[in-house]
Amino acid sequence: EPEVTQTPSHQVTQMGQEVILRCVPISNHLYFYWYRQILGQKVEFLVSFYNNEISEKSEIFDDQFSVERPDGSNFTLKIRSTKLEDSAMYFCASVPEGHSYNEQFFGPGTRLTVL
Amino acid sequence: ILNVEQSPQSLHVQEGDSTNFTCSFPSSNFYALHWYRWETAKSPEALFVMTLNGDEKKKGRISATLNTKEGYSYLYIKGSQPEDSATYLCAFLPYNAGNMLTFGGGTRLMVKP
């Protein structure tokens, strides 16, 4: 069964460094999402992406964040200058076209630790 | 900011017990309510997408009900098994709010053999 994959599973970085989190959505899906969950808190929406552009973003998704689909298969989240409070589990999700109630297919997450 | 709450936060039950937990969400502007099952170190997996008031969905021993007028959904597990141990997340999707799911805090279920 096709699945969403994410790499790496765990990333440790120093504050101020740039990180790129990678996702490979299911191949015929057209809508892509990033979420995060800070330890002990709720899963939070960051951004949605369709047709090679951002369709929605939350207030968390500020200028430090960017997303890209560089090659038609990978979907990346970049954090330009990480802060301690960016430490979280980051989930990618995808949705096929025509799925009107937005049921999401999630990856297993990347745990980001900022020191 | 939408308020989606789940209770209890965690639950310990014995194998064979039946259990249920709650998701509450805004009663206005409802479009869909999702339930996901999230096992440690795995991807959250969709259980149900509920869209109509009075909806009842079932998958094996797990079922869910929906009351959009009062803003709650129940998830039931009949005869819990150790493999049901996971965090159960609900997520609310309002009408005309694009694609932004708002998640509850989850209920962490532990089933003891």
Side-chain angles (χ1 to χ4, degrees):
Chain A
E1 193 174 323
E3 57 185 24
V4 177
T5 59
Q6 289 186 243
T7 55
S9 56
H10 191 186
Q11 171 113 31
V12 181
T13 190
Q14 294 290 326
M15 192 168 56
Q17 295 295 303
E18 174 183 287
V19 294
I20 297 177
L21 309 183
R22 291 186 165 80
C23 169
V24 179
I26 296 171
S27 64
N28 62 345
H29 287 195
L30 297 179
Y31 298 86
F32 312 108
Y33 303 82
W34 282 101
Y35 295 86
R36 76 173 186 191
Q37 187 186 36
I38 295 170
L39 191 62
Q41 298 186 23
K42 294 179 180 180
V43 174
E44 301 171 289
F45 170 84
L46 293 177
V47 66
S48 60
F49 192 85
Y50 172 70
N51 204 22
N52 279 322
E53 58 183 31
I54 290 174
S55 43
E56 285 167 296
K57 58 184 181 179
S58 71
E59 59 198 26
I60 302 166
F61 194 88
D62 61 22
D63 291 345
Q64 292 299 311
F65 292 89
S66 61
V67 287
E68 185 168 60
R69 196 147 188 258
D71 56 13
S73 63
N74 289 286
F75 179 51
T76 61
L77 174 71
K78 184 195 287 187
I79 309 175
R80 284 191 186 81
S81 177
T82 49
K83 306 185 191 81
L84 294 175
E85 55 264 36
D86 294 326
S87 294
M89 181 75 95
Y90 288 81
F91 291 99
C92 168
S94 66
V95 177
E97 185 155 35
H99 219 292
S100 56
Y101 294 105
N102 210 27
E103 176 184 336
Q104 314 229 335
F105 294 78
F106 282 87
T110 292
R111 181 166 294 287
L112 176 65
T113 302
V114 182
L115 302 175
Chain B
I1 294 176
L2 298 173
N3 200 22
V4 181
E5 300 293 338
Q6 290 186 247
S7 63
Q9 278 190 316
S10 66
L11 196 51
H12 290 75
V13 300
Q14 288 293 135
E15 183 175 353
D17 287 351
S18 293
T19 187
N20 65 86
F21 21 93
T22 309
C23 172
S24 64
F25 51 85
S27 55
S28 59
N29 221 24
F30 177 87
Y31 189 60
L33 192 281
H34 297 191
W35 281 100
Y36 293 90
R37 180 172 178 275
W38 181 20
E39 283 183 76
T40 304
K42 294 189 178 177
S43 306
E45 176 194 355
L47 284 173
F48 304 115
V49 176
M50 309 188 77
T51 58
L52 297 172
N53 186 41
D55 237 357
E56 287 189 31
K57 301 235 176 183
K58 192 171 180 201
K59 190 184 279 192
R61 293 178 292 98
I62 305 178
S63 59
T65 61
L66 179 69
N67 183 324
T68 60
K69 294 188 188 327
E70 294 181 39
Y72 64 83
S73 175
Y74 293 137
L75 191 80
Y76 299 91
I77 302 178
K78 187 177 174 184
S80 304
Q81 299 296 308
E83 57 265 30
D84 296 327
S85 297
T87 296
Y88 291 84
L89 295 167
C90 70
F92 173 68
L93 184 63
Y95 183 75
N96 234 7
N99 298 315
M100 285 177 60
L101 286 175
T102 300
F103 282 82
T107 292
R108 188 167 176 217
L109 175 67
M110 282 152 282
V111 183
K112 297 177 203 170

